[in-house]
Amino acid sequence: MKFGTGLVVAAMAAIPFFVAQPVHAATNPRTHYSLSYGTGEYTLKGNLIWYDRTVQVGASLKATEDNCAMAEYRFFHGSSQVGEAKRVSCSRTKGHGFRRQYDQPGGVTRVAVSLYQSNKNSDWTLLDSADCTRAGCR
């Protein structure tokens, strides 16, 4: 027995055809920051992605040859500091990324971002800083 093309088309028309609709995740605020010193000898550029109780940090840290740069992140819930993290790069550009969680309603509400410099034999010197919230950095 041979099936005609019309029968196959009719059978396919009877099968429900579903197209998956794109799922849009809730948009989490992104805060961009860019700190530098001089003509770009030291730079810290990155962004913060704000979630309910977590903030995600992603950045690039640059130091000139024979020098080091340090990125310091201080995390706040309201006016209370709830954490701190530091990343260092010497004589090159280095990327870093991590998450900081504060498991209380509202989570991390502010991040103080600072750029420091050292010539490997000296103390750290503050070069630039920014104060970041979900609304932006200043």
Side-chain angles (χ1 to χ4, degrees):
M1 185 158 136
K2 213 173 178 185
F3 292 99
T5 313
L7 185 56
V8 173
V9 172
M12 288 182 67
I15 299 171
F17 183 71
F18 297 99
V19 176
Q21 296 297 317
V23 177
H24 298 287
T27 302
N28 295 335
R30 289 178 185 248
T31 304
H32 300 281
Y33 55 92
S34 181
L35 307 177
S36 64
Y37 179 78
T39 58
E41 293 94 336
Y42 303 95
T43 61
L44 173 59
K45 296 178 182 181
N47 64 64
L48 304 167
I49 303 174
W50 301 86
Y51 299 96
D52 182 36
R53 296 179 186 218
T54 304
V55 65
Q56 181 174 323
V57 176
S60 173
L61 178 62
K62 174 188 170 187
T64 58
E65 190 171 337
D66 295 325
N67 289 287
C68 294
M70 178 174 62
E72 179 185 65
Y73 301 91
R74 291 183 298 131
F75 302 93
F76 292 85
H77 176 77
S79 61
S80 300
Q81 185 172 334
V82 295
E84 182 178 275
K86 296 177 182 177
R87 300 294 186 266
V88 175
S89 177
C90 295
S91 302
R92 66 185 180 129
T93 300
K94 184 177 177 183
H96 60 267
F98 60 93
R99 288 179 180 229
R100 179 64 60 169
Q101 181 176 359
Y102 184 66
D103 200 15
Q104 295 295 320
V108 173
T109 57
R110 181 171 60 94
V111 180
V113 182
S114 299
L115 173 62
Y116 291 86
Q117 174 273 336
S118 173
N119 68 4
K120 297 184 183 179
N121 298 317
S122 67
D123 292 333
W124 292 102
T125 303
L126 177 64
L127 301 177
D128 199 3
S129 63
D131 204 38
C132 302
T133 66
R134 293 172 186 267
C137 294
R138 56 180 169 84

